[in-house]
Amino acid sequence: MTESTFSLLSEDIILQIFIKLEEDPQNWARLASVCTRFSSLIILCYKKKCSQSIPSIISDLLSGGPHYPAPSDPPGGWAALHKLSVCCPGLLHAGVLLENSDFGLEREIGPDLNYLQTLTLTVSQPSSSTPPNPNPNSDPNWSLFDDLYFDTVYDFSESHNPIEGVESVAVKLGTDLSVGKKRRKICRSVQSHLASRVWNLSREQGNKLLASRFRGDCLYICDWPGCVHTQEKRNYMLFRGVFKNFKRSRVWRTINDGNRSKIGLDCAFCSCKETWDLHSAFCLRRVFGYHDDGEPVVRAYVCENGHVSGAWTDRPMYT
């Protein structure tokens, strides 16, 4: 019925209707999954919304330089930028669920083969109330709708009353897999979801994250503390951001020249299936340090498009 009704309307009229639904980002995510026509129109809605909510950032991201032309779209496209501006990456995409007892060395020198007795590619579902995939025949690639669909039942208060369970998280390391299996408290905030804090991005916050030698790079990060998630051991303050001209940044040169390996951690905002660990690449400020159990105080991961996801915790108090 929806297709037959809207087929009689011009795209301008449909677009005006969609614009009226901008208050809840989930509305656009649902509409984008209806048909190709709606999906293309929703991109225009994303562009309009981003231009209104973060105009100075859009202007900067789309500006060129003396030796390169200005891009026509932001990194990863308008859908990715809109998602980044309103969505928290979730504990999984922020790397909180990765095994960190090796201080990041395993990602640099390879996994311990004696440790890899069994390989599991299963990530447990947060709860039995999580809704099924609304379209089981859809493309398995990244979908903004798939992520935001979980928000129809997401309650931020649940992150403070997590459900205890066992989960197994697999990380792809070249041709190998590293599996970290432990008992922890999990909740629906594992996946991407609407951020609970102010939807804003700031270059000042990005400068606080990077090491001093990368201060010339332009990284926009959401205002801290970001989206706070209470877990078994400590509180994680999840952040997200984006580099301007990532492939022309000094961070990219450091990763590329150092031949840093990617890990199999999906980007929370675009279709990239692998990311780089900025912590092990020594791109973050070293003053952040580690907790007593070896977990870094701040972690961050960046994809090919320059999208950044990460988490930080309170700095440990040493005596």
Side-chain angles (χ1 to χ4, degrees):
M1 180 180 294
T2 302
E3 183 178 357
S4 61
T5 301
F6 277 86
S7 62
L8 302 177
L9 301 177
S10 67
E11 292 190 350
D12 291 339
I13 296 178
I14 297 176
L15 190 60
Q16 291 302 316
I17 296 175
F18 288 174
I19 291 294
K20 300 293 184 181
L21 304 175
E22 65 180 356
E23 183 175 351
D24 186 353
Q26 296 172 111
N27 293 331
W28 286 348
R30 297 186 187 103
L31 288 169
S33 67
V34 173
C35 62
T36 303
R37 185 188 187 195
F38 283 11
S39 178
S40 61
L41 290 175
I42 290 298
I43 296 297
L44 299 178
C45 295
Y46 292 148
K47 180 177 181 180
K48 179 179 178 63
K49 183 63 176 179
C50 290
S51 300
Q52 291 176 342
S53 59
I54 48 176
S56 60
I57 297 175
I58 294 298
S59 178
D60 193 21
L61 291 177
L62 298 184
S63 63
H67 303 294
Y68 57 91
S72 57
D73 295 318
W78 291 103
L81 182 60
H82 179 261
K83 184 181 180 184
L84 187 146
S85 66
V86 302
C87 285
C88 169
L91 295 172
L92 180 61
H93 296 294
V96 173
L97 303 183
L98 298 182
E99 181 64 44
N100 55 66
S101 59
D102 62 353
F103 295 87
L105 293 177
E106 182 176 311
R107 292 192 290 273
E108 296 301 310
I109 64 177
D112 182 359
L113 297 180
N114 294 326
Y115 178 70
L116 302 178
Q117 298 298 325
T118 59
L119 299 179
T120 307
L121 294 175
T122 305
V123 178
S124 62
Q125 293 297 329
S127 72
S128 59
S129 62
T130 301
N133 189 336
N135 186 4
N137 297 321
S138 61
D139 191 306
N141 292 332
W142 170 85
S143 169
L144 176 64
F145 172 75
D146 291 339
D147 286 336
L148 291 185
Y149 182 83
F150 290 94
D151 296 329
T152 59
V153 294
Y154 177 75
D155 183 357
F156 176 69
S157 63
E158 292 180 2
S159 64
H160 298 278
N161 298 282
I163 304 170
E164 187 171 330
V166 177
E167 71 177 1
S168 180
V169 178
V171 183
K172 186 177 181 181
L173 304 170
T175 58
D176 299 317
L177 292 172
S178 173
V179 180
K181 189 173 184 179
K182 57 176 69 177
R183 189 170 187 84
R184 66 165 72 236
K185 293 182 180 179
I186 57 178
C187 56
R188 291 176 186 170
S189 56
V190 168
Q191 296 291 341
S192 303
H193 56 269
L194 294 180
S196 59
R197 301 284 176 170
V198 177
W199 298 343
N200 191 27
L201 300 173
S202 168
R203 183 175 179 179
E204 180 182 358
Q205 300 297 346
N207 288 337
K208 295 177 182 178
L209 182 69
L210 298 176
S212 58
R213 65 182 180 278
F214 302 110
R215 293 295 172 84
D217 292 349
C218 182
L219 171 61
Y220 290 99
I221 291 291
C222 67
D223 288 337
W224 291 6
C227 196
V228 182
H229 296 270
T230 300
Q231 288 298 100
E232 188 174 11
K233 294 188 297 182
R234 51 183 61 97
N235 293 336
Y236 292 94
M237 289 148 277
L238 274 56
F239 58 85
R240 73 273 184 195
V242 59
F243 276 94
K244 174 188 176 181
N245 297 321
F246 177 56
K247 293 298 181 67
R248 298 180 182 274
S249 68
R250 188 168 182 178
V251 167
W252 166 252
R253 290 199 300 272
T254 299
I255 293 173
N256 192 45
D257 294 345
N259 197 25
R260 297 287 174 175
S261 300
K262 293 181 181 179
I263 63 174
L265 183 65
D266 295 358
C267 175
F269 308 108
C270 68
S271 58
C272 292
K273 297 301 181 182
E274 295 179 314
T275 54
W276 288 279
D277 182 358
L278 292 178
H279 185 276
S280 64
F282 304 103
C283 295
L284 306 182
R285 294 177 61 186
R286 309 310 298 173
V287 70
F288 292 130
Y290 296 86
H291 290 283
D292 291 338
D293 58 0
E295 183 174 10
V297 173
V298 178
R299 74 197 76 202
Y301 303 87
V302 63
C303 73
E304 286 271 3
N305 290 318
H307 300 138
V308 176
S309 299
W312 68 286
T313 57
D314 292 332
R315 184 180 292 107
M317 299 298 293
Y318 298 103
T319 58

